[in-house]
Amino acid sequence: MKILLKSAEIIDKNSPYHFQKKNIIIVDGKIEKIGDFDETADIVLESPDLKVSPGWFDLRASIKDPGSEHKEDIHSATKAAASGGFTGMVCMPNTKPVLQTKDLVEYISNRSANKITSVYPVAAVTIDNKGEEITEMIDLHKAGAIAFSDGNKPIWHSDVLLKTLQYLQSFDGLLLVHAEDKYVSMYGQMNEGLTSTLLGLKGLPKLAEEIIVERDLRILRYTGGKIHFSHVSSPRSFELIKEAKAEGLNVTCDITAYNLALDDTLLASFDTNLKVNPPLRSKEDVDAFWSYLKNGIIDAIVSDHNPQDEESKNLEFDLAEFGMIGLESVFSIVNTIKRDIPLETLLDKIAYAPRRILGISQPVIKEGELAEITIFDSEREWEFTKDDIKSKSKNTPFVGWKFKGKPLAVINKGMYFINN
């Protein structure tokens, strides 16, 4: 199969063609030729603002397989990821059973081996994600676990966290943290603030996150090792992380695309698709998030893809499950809103940074390399509809949004996916 990308601007700081518009020939998954030439191909991709970058990578997604395949499975999740421009993604361990055995790690790797989007399993830190007893992390690492986390549950036990950081250093393992003091946030439904008071909903205070970020950084300072804080949602948390980075601690963090786009006043609609954890914060917080993105404190942007079916969402607000899907819309959300953030910076947050954090090699756009690329049009205007959702679940508030910037195709592992 021969694919031609016609007059595509290459955005890849590791490529000799960075910021150049070139024709690209890909044959059987390999970049055969880059340059200015006329040539025919089986498939020709062209667009007024066609761009190509190394394949995007999502650093936080829940797949629900095994155990809740009616919400999402590996096939539907990788299809949604490819539609969103992702050639790689991690999956959180909050499955049924929990991703805590070699067999389950290998199950994820094997089931996704022939999918265009590579899936990297993140194994559980503690048995059943209860935060009490540490899993056999060395065995899980050898089986293929890319990192360790309790997913959407915090490591509430300080001694468990301390021992985990010590244990992980034996193989340079990475800990992904959901920062939340469950006793402070108990029964919370949305961001604690004026809107939660007006709506009569119990709040999720930023304090619940900040306490754990500060505790974890103090323990990291004591033990050594490395921590990545997932879906951070408090300006104070980012300040603590900024100070830790300046001090030289091995710490990174990410933010969700939806926390850069939405604020808590939208919950006046009681739309359960807006019920997420961490919650949508205030407009002032959203402004602060963009400043932390601009100054480099935020390392990556993630989908925090969390599929929920109708039975989990079509309920009274306080009974509905947390979470929204996001794989198909990450780039379009942030590119539409991006304020004064350069496109190259946004691409760093969704392509390069996730791989740096995980220690995965970066794909490069040059002749002779296997193609792991995302093809997109950064200026195309389009409306996001339910037909654009490839996930089994449809729990997103972005249906009907007018976006600027669209992933058009991905090529990876000798396969290709082209959006409609």
Side-chain angles (χ1 to χ4, degrees), residues 154-162 165 175 177-181 209-222 227 229 240:
I155 302 172
W156 60 269
H157 198 304
S158 300
D159 186 53
V160 168
L161 175 70
L162 187 150
L165 286 170
L175 177 64
V177 169
H178 165 72
E180 180 184 4
D181 187 319
E209 176 180 291
E210 296 158 4
I211 286 172
I212 299 300
V213 170
E214 186 162 10
R215 180 205 68 170
D216 290 6
L217 288 172
R218 289 179 68 91
I219 293 176
L220 179 67
R221 189 176 292 114
Y222 175 79
I227 287 179
F229 289 101
L240 291 166

Side-chain angles (χ1 to χ4, degrees), residues 125 147-150 155 161 164-165 168 173-177 216 226-229:
V125 172
F148 293 84
S149 177
D150 273 351
I155 302 172
L161 175 70
T164 296
L165 286 170
L168 286 173
L174 175 66
L175 177 64
L176 308 181
V177 169
D216 290 6
K226 53 186 178 182
I227 287 179
H228 176 81
F229 289 101

Side-chain angles (χ1 to χ4, degrees), residues 78 82 87 114-118 410-413 415-417:
T78 52
T87 60
N114 64 345
K115 305 299 182 186
I116 190 168
T117 300
S118 301
V410 294
I411 301 174
N412 188 30
K413 297 192 283 191
M415 297 178 274
Y416 65 90
F417 177 94

